[in-house]
Amino acid sequence: MIFFLFYILISLHFLSYKYWSILLGGSLHAISYQQVFHYSHFFSVISMKIDIDLSPRLAKMDFAGDGGSYFVWCPSELAMLREGNIGAAKLSLEKDGFALPCYSDSAKVAYVLQGNGVAGIVLPEKEEKVVPIKKGDAIALPFGAVTWWFNKQYTELVVLLLGDTSKGHKAGEFTDFFLTGSNGIFTGFSPEFVSRAWDVDEKTVNTLVGTQTGIGIVKLSASCKMPEPKKESRSGLVYNCEEAPLDVDIKNGGRVVVLNTKNLPLVAEVGLGADHVRLDGGAMCSALQVTYIVRGSGRVQVVGSDGRRVLDTRVKAGNLFIVPRFYVVSKICGPDGMDCFSIITTPSPISTHLAGMTSLWKALSPEVLEASFKFSPEVEKLFRSKRTS
């Protein structure tokens, strides 16, 4: 039995029109479909160059400290980042690793790929929230939020960051502004200015600004006390995609959780939604969006508007790839399955079925299907008989 799930999304920006599907192994003559259509009322058009390299890329280290590393995907290597105004980065913290407080020029969605830790989040004109985080957590970080991250476990804490750079300094790149450290924003001011701003003497300013010599990420001593996270602080800030109710659940095929304003209202301020797709072994998935391969491996093909295949390659855990608007991509995973996390450039997609019992195909008359597909009434009957789930 083959099961094919076809999913389409149209939303505000170029990456917001997507297709994905799940195909289970079995005999090729028995096919049924289920499709979901996500639509937002506005979308913009950008010009696409068909010669843009769509090959998946691994992140490259941007900087490292005693407590961990920070990796980025560069628009110079993945041109679709610049074309779509999408930033992508990955934070990795070792035990006692501490990512110093910073704010960014872009709204983001963070996704915990591995480990457990603590996140400090200060929204504009709000108090600090100290939040326990774990694998599978999605966190909406609006423009202007100040964040810090801490790992007190032996297991490495890894956080994926995807976001909209349309309001940022550089298209396709995040620019972070650290509050402390040797590259902190206050190191650029003279002691006199900082002294007046903080109402302390210049000697104290030199101690406050100059003591922390780390850049971005440091390792705290065992004696350093950090605030204890509060579970109740997760409410409204964090949504665990691995524990959430499923939006799509196909037996022996795959499961999907969609992050939107209903389950995490803060994404309305971010302007981004997301989804987490988990495919069983032998499944197939197609998508038009920004996709990170969380686990597993497989093969990917991309087809352009003229029906020409523009990409045929293998993907593996750690790869990030982007497909232009209206292009179609299919991913076939290996026997161990594959997990993907993707951002959607609309916070509240609206769902309508395009296949299955209540689909558009079901609504169209047999004559229209026969003429559109140019197949016989017998094939149309077979096609219709399989669209029952």
Side-chain angles (χ1 to χ4, degrees):
M1 177 67 178
I2 291 180
F3 204 113
F4 192 81
L5 173 64
F6 193 37
Y7 171 99
I8 301 176
L9 171 70
I10 299 178
S11 64
L12 183 59
H13 298 301
F14 93 99
L15 295 168
S16 31
Y17 187 107
K18 75 172 187 177
Y19 298 77
W20 53 259
S21 58
I22 296 173
L23 172 65
L24 307 185
S27 57
L28 292 177
H29 63 275
I31 302 177
S32 61
Y33 297 79
Q34 180 181 358
Q35 297 174 321
V36 181
F37 176 57
H38 281 199
Y39 174 73
S40 76
H41 297 291
F42 307 96
F43 59 92
S44 61
V45 178
I46 72 168
S47 60
M48 291 305 309
K49 298 179 181 179
I50 198 167
D51 58 349
I52 288 179
D53 185 3
L54 303 180
S55 301
R57 292 285 191 270
L58 294 170
K60 289 191 173 182
M61 183 182 294
D62 186 41
F63 65 86
D66 292 337
S69 307
Y70 185 75
F71 302 82
V72 298
W73 282 268
C74 301
S76 59
E77 296 185 352
L78 190 55
M80 284 301 301
L81 290 172
R82 183 180 294 109
E83 293 286 340
N85 267 315
I86 296 295
K90 190 163 57 173
L91 173 68
S92 175
L93 294 179
E94 300 170 5
K95 186 181 185 321
D96 296 323
F98 177 48
L100 298 174
C102 72
Y103 62 91
S104 177
D105 63 351
S106 306
K108 303 174 184 175
V109 173
Y111 182 75
V112 181
L113 298 170
Q114 176 182 305
N116 297 273
V118 181
I121 303 171
V122 182
L123 300 179
E125 300 183 1
K126 303 283 186 180
E127 294 182 354
E128 179 188 54
K129 297 284 187 180
V130 182
V131 184
I133 57 174
K134 59 183 178 180
K135 182 177 180 291
D137 279 348
I139 309 162
L141 301 174
F143 183 78
V146 173
T147 61
W148 55 262
W149 310 83
F150 178 61
N151 180 21
K152 57 183 178 180
Q153 306 294 330
Y154 283 98
T155 301
E156 187 178 27
L157 175 66
V158 184
V159 180
L160 175 70
L161 299 161
L162 301 174
D164 175 15
T165 65
S166 60
K167 298 179 181 178
H169 287 268
K170 300 177 183 178
E173 296 182 56
F174 296 136
T175 301
D176 295 324
F177 298 83
F178 287 92
L179 303 186
T180 65
S182 62
N183 62 336
I185 56 176
F186 290 101
T187 61
F189 290 102
S190 67
E192 178 189 2
F193 273 66
V194 181
S195 173
R196 294 193 177 202
W198 290 351
D199 194 23
V200 295
D201 59 57
E202 293 188 15
K203 182 179 180 180
T204 303
V205 168
N206 291 329
T207 300
L208 291 172
V209 175
T211 303
Q212 179 55 270
T213 58
I215 299 178
I217 299 172
V218 298
K219 187 179 182 67
L220 301 182
S221 65
S223 61
C224 185
K225 297 285 186 179
M226 293 295 284
E228 288 296 321
K230 297 180 180 179
K231 189 175 181 180
E232 57 268 24
S233 296
R234 289 173 57 90
S235 178
L237 287 176
V238 183
Y239 191 73
N240 190 277
C241 294
E242 296 189 358
E243 299 175 353
L246 300 173
D247 293 284
V248 177
D249 185 7
I250 307 300
K251 185 178 180 181
N252 297 323
R255 291 149 298 284
V256 180
V257 171
V258 178
L259 186 70
N260 53 35
T261 55
K262 292 182 179 179
N263 47 41
L264 191 59
L266 197 59
V267 301
E269 296 184 36
V270 175
L272 299 169
D275 65 24
H276 179 267
V277 180
R278 172 166 289 181
L279 302 175
D280 294 332
M284 173 181 171
C285 175
S286 300
L288 270 79
Q289 58 183 138
V290 186
T291 299
Y292 177 85
I293 308 299
V294 177
R295 181 193 64 85
S297 61
R299 185 179 174 188
V300 59
Q301 291 185 348
V302 178
V303 176
S305 59
D306 58 356
R308 184 168 65 91
R309 189 185 309 155
V310 295
L311 180 67
D312 187 347
T313 190
R314 299 229 170 235
V315 293
K316 60 183 179 180
N319 277 148
L320 182 90
F321 69 95
I322 308 172
V323 179
R325 184 182 182 186
F326 302 119
Y327 284 38
V328 181
V329 56
S330 291
K331 302 187 291 292
I332 300 177
C333 69
D336 295 329
M338 184 164 62
D339 292 2
C340 310
F341 183 79
S342 307
I343 60 168
I344 305 167
T345 50
T346 179
S348 294
I350 302 171
S351 298
T352 300
H353 291 285
L354 280 182
M357 289 293 293
T358 60
S359 72
L360 174 63
W361 297 119
K362 192 73 172 181
L364 289 172
S365 62
E367 293 81 3
V368 171
L369 290 178
E370 292 169 23
S372 299
F373 284 106
K374 199 177 179 180
F375 53 34
S376 67
E378 291 74 22
V379 174
E380 193 282 328
K381 289 179 181 178
L382 175 63
F383 183 50
R384 183 175 296 273
S385 69
K386 302 302 179 181
R387 301 191 305 278
T388 58
S389 62

